[in-house]
Amino acid sequence: MEQRKHIVCTFRTNSIHVLLHLVYKSELIPESLQFYDTAEEPMRESFTTEETGRWVNRNHSISLSVERLVELWPPYPPRPTTVLADVQATADTVRRLIGQVRNAGGSMRAYGGGLSLSAVATSPHLMVNTRHLTLKYPIDYGCMDSKSSYHYSNLFYFQCGTLLPEVYRYLEGRGLTLPTSGTCTNQTLGGAVSTGTHASAHHFGSVSDAVVAIHVITGPEPDDVLWLERATLPAVTHNFADRIGARLVRNDDLFNAALISFGSCGFVMGFLVNTIPLHKIKAVRRTISVGSGLDHILTTLDFDALRTFIPSINSTSVNEVTFVVNPHNSNGTVHCTVMERVELNTATIPAPANTDIRPGTNMLGVVGLVGNTSPELIPQSLHTLLDKSYKDVGPFVDTPGATYRQPTVFGMATSTEVGIPLEHTATVLHLLRTIGTPLLNYAGIFAIRYIKQTRAFLGMAQFPITAVIELPGVKCQGTRDFHKAVFHALKSASVPFTFHWGMEVPEGPEALVHYGTNKEHWIKARRELLGSNRTLFDNDVTRALGLSD
């Protein structure tokens, strides 16, 4: 049993009220779920706190008036002996909230870290803060369906409000880790999954691709609490779903629709996640010259060829690769970060705390560092920042949790991300460099990552290997104009492209043109999943994209 001090600080929007709990929490992680729910006592109730006011996301790019701002809490304090019942009690509270919204003729959205740059997680009627929903537990052998291909010891349930660093801490203490992640310290698992957060795991995919079951609430009735799995990849038994008050549904289309749905397919309570053995990551960044075979690497991920530029890497163990381009730099270089998966017993070489920009740092945080600069000086300031700080570093060696644990957003930054087929990468990079006047006024950089195709209907990884072109910039007119110019240039060049739903996306159904029939599959599955409750989970974004029916 591990004793640790647990502090929860709740800061309410437009309020000076601070709720501070200081308790000593005993966290007991048993080998089997049979140790859970052993206390013979009435079911405890979850609870909410509520107010009316303005909601503002973390980087202040979205602000709206909301009729009801609700913070949802599981039964408190947390107890290992009642965790399954506490999950069920929290679901009952969500059902009541959904019923209230339906009776009022409104809509609702759940949100966590408030990191999305688009309005996907917003509603003018009811917004529910899930950051206190952090219950978690392992799966027991006896909970597994006889036809499941998963190993029970790799499966863990996490409520949606669990922060990614806490997921890593919890798993790494058990010799396990996530197959991939992002670099947002303040991001919840719910937000990461539902918007398609990714790193650059070309062999795996996004965070959502580690999910094997979705605990989702689609309405106010008891039968609206679902445990959703793919029929082709069953995981747990009906008895397990019963124990948390959920109805087991196995349907590939429903699962693929709900997986990346940014809150449009119901209130997601939690996920069953498939993990992998803990390893370490060896990270190195080097500056390489444009040309001389770089285009070949960009469009093929030929890591043997990459060793020409970075001889120290092992081409067979490359886990992630990222290219960062300063468009205002005329010296013809790019910065390449390579992360290799190495054995757990490899000696740790932590990145120094004073390393300004290191492997694992999110690009949005980089450009935000110059967010308070005068607009006309931003391109040059960003150029200076990258030249001074984005130097060759490494190798560093550490666990995935330590590698990805980075500050989230600094300053007034924004970004859009487009996903394109791997083979178009070099062409698109050249296209971005030659856009003209919009590029001269662009207060940002380019980053290129790679992810494997997803089965989620609205995931951005729609291609066998999707090259993700990230365009983070300071929030200003120059950045907005450049993003619009990029969308236009891609369309003119007939390059198919998709979007990351947590970033800024263009308005209108044209954003989904290159999702093909998956858009219609998503709409059909959502209709089946939600029935007449669909309007409860609509918002301006779904309507603008043509996803509300």
Side-chain angles (χ1 to χ4, degrees):
M1 181 180 298
E2 174 190 350
Q3 290 275 356
R4 64 187 180 92
K5 187 177 293 186
H6 178 64
I7 303 177
V8 178
C9 296
T10 303
F11 297 91
R12 310 267 191 87
T13 307
N14 291 334
S15 173
I16 61 172
H17 175 71
V18 178
L19 177 64
L20 175 64
H21 290 284
L22 178 60
V23 299
Y24 283 89
K25 184 174 75 171
S26 298
E27 185 182 82
L28 175 62
I29 307 301
E31 295 296 325
S32 168
L33 273 178
Q34 65 179 317
F35 289 97
Y36 282 120
D37 292 352
T38 57
E40 296 183 2
E41 56 182 272
M43 180 180 290
R44 303 190 300 162
E45 291 187 0
S46 72
F47 61 98
T48 61
T49 55
E50 182 173 337
E51 68 178 12
T52 300
R54 294 199 67 79
W55 181 84
V56 182
N57 68 340
R58 187 172 287 271
N59 83 327
H60 301 275
S61 62
I62 299 172
S63 174
L64 75 158
S65 179
V66 183
E67 294 175 7
R68 299 178 63 192
L69 290 166
V70 170
E71 294 201 22
L72 177 62
W73 301 71
Y76 197 80
R79 296 177 183 171
T81 56
T82 61
V83 64
L84 297 185
D86 290 349
V87 169
Q88 183 174 350
T90 309
D92 290 344
T93 299
V94 172
R95 288 195 298 107
R96 289 194 292 272
L97 290 171
I98 294 174
Q100 292 166 7
V101 169
R102 187 170 72 173
N103 292 339
S107 64
M108 68 181 297
R109 266 298 192 274
Y111 72 96
L115 297 175
S116 288
L117 302 178
S118 68
V120 291
T122 64
S123 166
H125 305 120
L126 171 63
M127 292 182 61
V128 181
N129 189 335
T130 64
R131 60 185 169 181
H132 307 298
L133 303 186
T134 59
L135 297 176
K136 58 189 78 69
Y137 50 81
I139 297 300
D140 179 66
Y141 171 78
C143 298
M144 299 299 296
D145 186 274
S146 60
K147 296 181 180 179
S148 178
S149 60
Y150 300 108
H151 196 279
Y152 75 94
S153 64
N154 294 331
L155 298 181
F156 293 83
Y157 176 90
F158 292 96
Q159 277 193 314
C160 60
T162 310
L163 294 175
L164 287 179
E166 173 61 13
V167 173
Y168 275 116
R169 188 201 67 80
Y170 179 90
L171 292 176
E172 290 184 0
R174 290 152 186 81
L176 299 164
T177 191
L178 294 174
T180 187
S181 184
T183 55
C184 291
T185 295
N186 296 308
Q187 189 169 32
T188 63
L189 182 62
V193 171
S194 63
T195 60
T197 293
H198 61 89
S200 189
H202 58 277
H203 64 288
F204 180 77
S206 306
V207 175
S208 56
D209 295 307
V211 173
V212 302
I214 307 168
H215 185 198
V216 59
I217 306 170
T218 61
E221 305 301 326
D223 275 355
D224 293 329
V225 182
L226 308 181
W227 182 270
L228 188 58
E229 299 180 353
R230 290 189 175 101
T232 54
L233 290 169
V236 302
T237 63
H238 284 271
N239 180 61
F240 172 81
D242 289 341
R243 292 174 67 184
I244 59 171
R247 177 166 59 93
L248 178 59
V249 176
R250 290 185 176 140
N251 183 300
D252 283 34
D253 283 354
L254 299 187
F255 184 95
N256 293 336
L259 186 58
I260 297 179
S261 60
F262 34 89
S264 305
C265 286
F267 189 107
V268 175
M269 280 284 297
F271 306 94
L272 188 64
V273 175
N274 191 33
T275 63
I276 62 174
L278 181 59
H279 57 271
K280 287 184 179 176
I281 291 176
K282 177 183 177 183
V284 61
R285 183 174 64 235
R286 295 291 182 265
T287 303
I288 61 180
S289 299
V290 174
S292 303
L294 179 60
D295 284 359
H296 168 73
I297 298 169
L298 290 173
T299 55
T300 63
L301 293 182
D302 183 346
F303 297 130
D304 286 327
L306 185 58
R307 291 189 71 245
T308 303
F309 300 98
I310 311 178
S312 63
I313 66 171
N314 181 344
S315 59
T316 63
S317 63
V318 173
N319 191 53
E320 300 182 18
V321 61
T322 300
F323 297 94
V324 174
V325 181
N326 176 7
H328 307 292
N329 186 342
S330 60
N331 65 7
T333 59
V334 301
H335 305 282
C336 179
T337 299
V338 179
M339 296 188 182
E340 301 175 57
R341 186 176 295 181
V342 296
E343 296 295 328
L344 185 59
N345 60 5
T346 305
T348 297
I349 308 175
N354 61 352
T355 303
D356 291 334
I357 304 173
R358 55 182 176 168
T361 300
N362 72 93
M363 295 299 102
L364 193 61
V366 173
V367 298
L369 291 171
V370 298
N372 294 322
T373 305
S374 299
E376 67 275 9
L377 300 177
I378 287 174
Q380 181 58 44
S381 297
L382 190 57
H383 173 65
T384 302
L385 170 70
L386 289 173
D387 276 0
K388 288 185 176 181
S389 300
Y390 217 74
K391 298 181 180 299
D392 293 356
V393 294
F396 303 131
V397 179
D398 220 322
T399 64
T403 300
Y404 291 122
R405 188 183 178 98
Q406 302 290 332
T408 303
V409 176
F410 305 91
M412 297 292 287
T414 188
S415 183
T416 191
E417 288 186 20
V418 293
I420 62 172
L422 171 66
E423 59 270 20
H424 289 284
T425 310
T427 299
V428 170
L429 180 57
H430 175 73
L431 192 66
L432 297 181
R433 285 180 171 273
T434 55
I435 279 181
T437 301
L439 177 61
L440 295 177
N441 298 321
Y442 173 48
I445 57 179
F446 310 155
I448 306 171
R449 311 179 196 274
Y450 301 88
I451 49 177
K452 185 179 178 181
Q453 189 169 23
T454 182
R455 294 172 63 182
F457 291 145
L458 293 188
M460 76 178 304
Q462 293 289 306
F463 315 109
I465 297 292
T466 296
V468 178
I469 311 298
E470 183 180 0
L471 303 171
V474 176
K475 188 180 179 184
C476 64
Q477 190 60 47
T479 296
R480 287 190 289 269
D481 290 343
F482 180 72
H483 288 167
K484 291 178 181 178
V486 169
F487 303 149
H488 178 74
L490 291 174
K491 286 187 288 186
S492 298
S494 299
V495 176
F497 58 98
T498 57
F499 290 97
H500 185 313
W501 302 112
M503 301 295 180
E504 290 194 349
V505 297
E507 296 181 357
E510 66 177 10
L512 288 162
V513 166
H514 298 294
Y515 288 78
T517 59
N518 277 347
K519 174 184 175 181
E520 298 306 319
H521 290 325
W522 188 89
I523 292 174
K524 180 181 178 182
R526 180 175 183 261
R527 188 183 300 122
E528 179 180 347
L529 186 65
L530 296 178
S532 61
N533 292 329
R534 295 192 301 282
T535 58
L536 303 180
F537 302 101
D538 284 339
N539 66 6
D540 288 345
V541 173
T542 58
R543 285 186 286 269
L545 292 172
L547 294 174
S548 300
D549 66 321

